[in-house]
Structures are given as structure tokens and as C-alpha cells.
Amino acid sequence: MVTITDIAEALGITPSTVSRALAGSPRVKEDTRVAVLRKAEEMGYQRNIMAANLRKRRSDIVGIVVPRIHRQFFANVISGAESILNEAGYNVMICQTMEKLDVEIKVLRTLRNHQVAGVLLSHAIEARDSKHLAALGNIPLVQYDRVFFDYPGAKVVGANCEGAFKATKHLIESGYRKIGTIAGFMTSQAYVERLAGYRLAIESAGIPFNPDIVYENAIVRETGREAALKALEAGCDALYCCGDFCALGAVEALQEKGVRIPEDFGIVGTANEFFTSLMTPALTSLGQNPYEMGREAARAFLEGRTDTTVIPMELQIRSSSIRNTICQK
Amino acid sequence: MVTITDIAEALGITPSTVSRALAGSPRVKEDTRVAVLRKAEEMGYQRNIMAANLRKRRSDIVGIVVPRIHRQFFANVISGAESILNEAGYNVMICQTMEKLDVEIKVLRTLRNHQVAGVLLSHAIEARDSKHLAALGNIPLVQYDRVFFDYPGAKVVGANCEGAFKATKHLIESGYRKIGTIAGFMTSQAYVERLAGYRLAIESAGIPFNPDIVYENAIVRETGREAALKALEAGCDALYCCGDFCALGAVEALQEKGVRIPEDFGIVGTANEFFTSLMTPALTSLGQNPYEMGREAARAFLEGRTDTTVIPMELQIRSSSIRNTICQK
DNA sequence: TTGTATGCGTTATCAT
DNA sequence: ATGATAACGCATACAA
């Protein structure tokens, strides 16, 4: 393992100068700079990142915390963030919380112990408040997607309210009459806002908001099934779903009951996961631009922002929400 | 930031003893051990991993290199590996190569510079040989899924030959006659073996192997489409596909041509991605047990193995390869 | 522009 | 069982 001292000796100068030359400091003569660079190359020098980090009391790693890596949404956020961070010379450490609070706490402690340069976080469903985030100390934190607004610092969120409004309005315009919603967990602001957007669309259309057809705490396939069956019993003919997995469950449960989609019942999901386009019928879904969200979160960290950035959401209209012409009349 | 020196001073002992106590060394009296532990807890001590790693000349991080995080297969490998490594006190650094050789080289250099404890790698498609792996120096390497057999060290692979054999045999038993294969890249041993398994099944059934209906270099959706159209023209009535994405492309291209699946044409994919169960018809796929593969790769690292572990593959039979009774006659 | 001196926090070797 | 001391490789404040 060749060190800056080795290079210094080979060149008859001191490690300090080598260090400066390697760091591109202006306080070093051009000649010696090129000499150092060439020698370093020649000797196969590789900077010891540990030593540098210890000295600087900060690592070159940025932690990215996601609930689950399996979701296309988060995989895309990661890729987006990585694209920006790598360019800026940072490396990325990806951590999954599996939606569990205790894992999230453990993960944050690990990142803190590693003295990472920053953390991009979308909290676990189980995390009901922001208390545990303080464990990061003064490490810059950017919250994305699922954020706690009461915690200071940069945030990058989707236009949840606006998006859910568009999605619900689309269902209304498709001719559905009694539109319920699978609403997720009210402990998370993102879901609260989606519900608000849903409500706004409903009321804007002159329909009274009916809390009986708001199905909270559902987000996965199985709970989506249960919610859909309740909605059917309550006389609904459409559902705006806060996620694609619960929407999938809803579609399956309804189809098993002989309900035709979209003729009898309209469904819209959220996230625009890859599988939605392969379902029968293909699922209309509210896309969240995760790649762009990841890039924005990374930029927010790099620029030391403390404000909130909103990423637009786009409704990808497919078959599950379009009544055929006969029904539309 | 509280250090072992702080704890030592508070207790009137030396940093050495504190270090030993914290490390659980047997060379320290029980009383002082508990005293140190309690004091550390009380003062909110967090070990500085940088310093420890610098001193030990080795980090507590294991690098996991994947071509793309988006694939369910790799997401599951990661989760499996993580489950074992976290338990053993390691942290994980996930790196995507995007299937590019230059990115893979860069990533390996980064991991080396970080002096990671080990690397689990599935190489990029673009990597045609193992030359660049030497850049890791003496960092333990475990190759998984896509491996170079000419490079020494531990390997964890799927039972590709056996799996492809089962998949192809299944198509034969379903009554298909002219079975081609979308075969992937012959630069990768995994695909070579799948092709071998396919051939073995074909020949075991007394059918002569026909290289004209082997479609190489296809692996993504679009190339799968192209291969399927060629297969159709060549008179095939079934395809064993080395991946699920090329199988998806094949299904789509055939359906657009009015070919009915499975009645007219049988398809089997590989990897058992989530979306395969949602397609119409649902895609039969050869599952690779990625979670288990990740766990085995992690164990291979922990135990310092240098052999090859084979993970069985399981055929998940769905609609795309089962002819209805009328056709079967 | 370069050199000198020091310390980042830990672990390991040696001595006691 | 504990202490003293050095070293891991680098970066910076200060001196020249």
C-alpha cells in the first residue's frame, strides 16, 4: 500500500506538499504538482479514504434510507440520487428499514457512527413521529417522499394533494358516482395529503365527503383486498388507492367477486410501478417521478438546502379507470 | 463526540483498558468491564468507526455489486445477504454497475479504496472476462449468479443447467414440438449453462439440437420481441427464455401477431420476477431463489470459503406453458 | 511555495 | 489485569 509519504520520499519533498498537490490546492507550484501526480500514478497510489475521513471527521459516503429496496419507486429514487452524488464525488450507502422503526433507529445509528456526509431518508411506516431522527446529530438530513414536516431541514415531496386531486377527478370524469379511497396511514404526511386531494376533488364536484368510504391503514396487497370488499359492500363503484400494491389487491378481490373493471368499477393506483402496465386491465396509476425525486434530494443535500421541493406527479391513464362508451353514457 | 479517552479519564483508568473492555476482551476484570460499559452508556459513547477501521486497516463494510437494483432478483439477493451480514456485525454498501464494464471497474476501485472487508459481485453483462477483478487486490471476493469460473475464490450459482433442463423438459411434456431458446450472452457462464440444459433436454427427448433456433444476445424486452418474431418465422411453437424480461417481450410480440399463448405457443421465462404472475397469461418461470443465494454468498464470505455453492432452481408453472386439454391430444 | 508539527480515535505491542 | 507508547495515513495550522 503506497502512501503520500512514499511519494514524498521518492520525490525528495514532504508529505504535506504531496497532500496539497493531490488535493489540488493552489498553494503548490505547477511543476511539483504534475511531478506528484505523475509519481502517484506511476507508483499506483490509492488514497486511504479511512485516514482522510478520520482526519476530516467526515466520510465521503451519503446514506440513503429506504423502506424497501424492492419497490420500483425506491429503486428509482436510489438511481437518481446516485447519479448526482457520484458525480459530486460521494459514494452511497443504501439501507433498508423493512418498514420497521427499530431497524430505522439502528440504521441511523450506524450511519452516524460512520460519520456519513449526509442522509437521504424516507421513513418507515412504523415511524409515527420524528423523535428518533435527532440521533443523527448534526449530520445533514434530507427527507424525501415520506417526510415529517415538524422536523427541520430539506424535504423533497411529491405533489400528493394535487396528484390525488387529479386522479380522483379523473374517476369522476369517467362517470363513476360513488368513489371511495384506500388511504394509507395517517401517521404519514404523504398519505394525509393524498386523502386531502381526494376530498378536494370529491367536494369540488359537489359530492359530499363521506368518511365511511375512506379505508385507512391499508397499503399492501392483502389489506387492499379487504378494503375493496368493504367498498363494494358500501356501494362504491370506484376507488382511488394510495399505492399500487393495495390497488392490485383491490382489483383481484373485485374480479373474484365477478365485478368487471372498468365497466362496473374504476380503480386508480399510485406509484406507477412496472407491473401496473402488465395487469388486466392495465392499472391507471399516479406516477411520482421517483428518479427526479432522487436527483432533487441529492441536490438538496449538496446545496445545503433547508426548504421543501415539490415534485409534480403525473397520472398515467390506462384501462382500469376508463369506462367503455356504452357505460359512459 | 465522546471518545474512549474521555471514558478512561472519567474512570481514572487508561484508554487501552477501555478499548479492551469495549471489545469484549477476556484480558480485563469483570468489575472494570461493567464499569466501562455503564460509563460508556451513560456518556453516550459511540465508537468512531473510521478510527477503528484505519487502525485495523479494514472496514466493517461489505460491498455488494449488482448490475441493476431494479431487478427483483438482485433486490432479493441484497436482502438475503444483508440479513446474514448485519447479524455478523457488517454493514453493506450496494453498488450498481448498470451493466457497464467501466462502471464496474470504478465501483471496484471505490470499494478497494474503502478497504471493504469483502465484496459480493455479480458482474455486468459488458464484462467479458475476469481481468478487472484483480483490482480488488487481496480483498475477499464472492462471485454470485454471474461468475467467472476462471477466477479463483468462492462462487454461488444457480443450478442453471439443471433448471433449464427442467424448464425445457416441461415444454416438451406440454406437447410443444419445435422449441427454441432465447439464450442471452455467451460471455456469461450462467447463460452458457442454461443453453446447455436446454440442449440436454432437447436431445434427451430425441430431438436433434438445432442452432438456428437458438437466439443469442437477447435479454431485455425489446430483443426478446425480435427473437420471438424470428422464432415464429422459423416455425417454432415454444421458447425457453433465459430471463423474464425477454420472455415478456416475446409474449407481447407473439400476441400482437395473433398467436395465442399457450394454445399456439408456449413460453417459459427465468427469474420468477413479481410481474410474471400478473401477466396474461401468467408466465411460467424458472425461479432462482435469490434470497437464499444472497444468504449463501454472505455465508461464503464469512466462512472464507473458496468453493462453489449451487443453489437449486424451481420451476414455477403458470399458464403460459400449459396447453389446454384439446391441444394436448 | 514549501516544510514542521500535531492530532484525528482507535488498536496492538510491549512491559509491568 | 492494566498501563505506556506507538502507529494507522492523512490534512491542516503555523512557521519559514
Side-chain angles (χ1 to χ4, degrees), chain B residues 34-89:
Chain B
V34 294
V36 166
L37 258 41
R38 189 167 42 213
K39 201 74 187 174
E41 174 73 27
E42 177 192 324
M43 298 176 73
Y45 169 77
Q46 301 275 48
R47 138 202 275 146
N48 184 322
I49 298 185
M50 306 278 193
N53 289 346
L54 172 61
R55 184 60 236 254
K56 291 201 274 212
R57 309 176 117 173
R58 215 188 63 162
S59 117
D60 64 332
I61 294 177
V62 172
I64 304 187
V65 183
V66 299
R68 307 200 82 111
I69 211 180
H70 298 77
R71 304 217 172 172
Q72 223 100 83
F73 173 76
F74 290 112
N76 282 319
V77 169
I78 290 169
S79 296
E82 228 179 3
S83 71
I84 295 285
L85 292 171
N86 284 347
E87 214 170 76

Side-chain angles (χ1 to χ4, degrees), chain A residues 3-4 16 19 45 47-48 51 55:
Chain A
T3 72
I4 55 170
S16 331
S19 174
Y45 169 76
R47 171 221 296 274
N48 184 322
R55 181 61 232 257

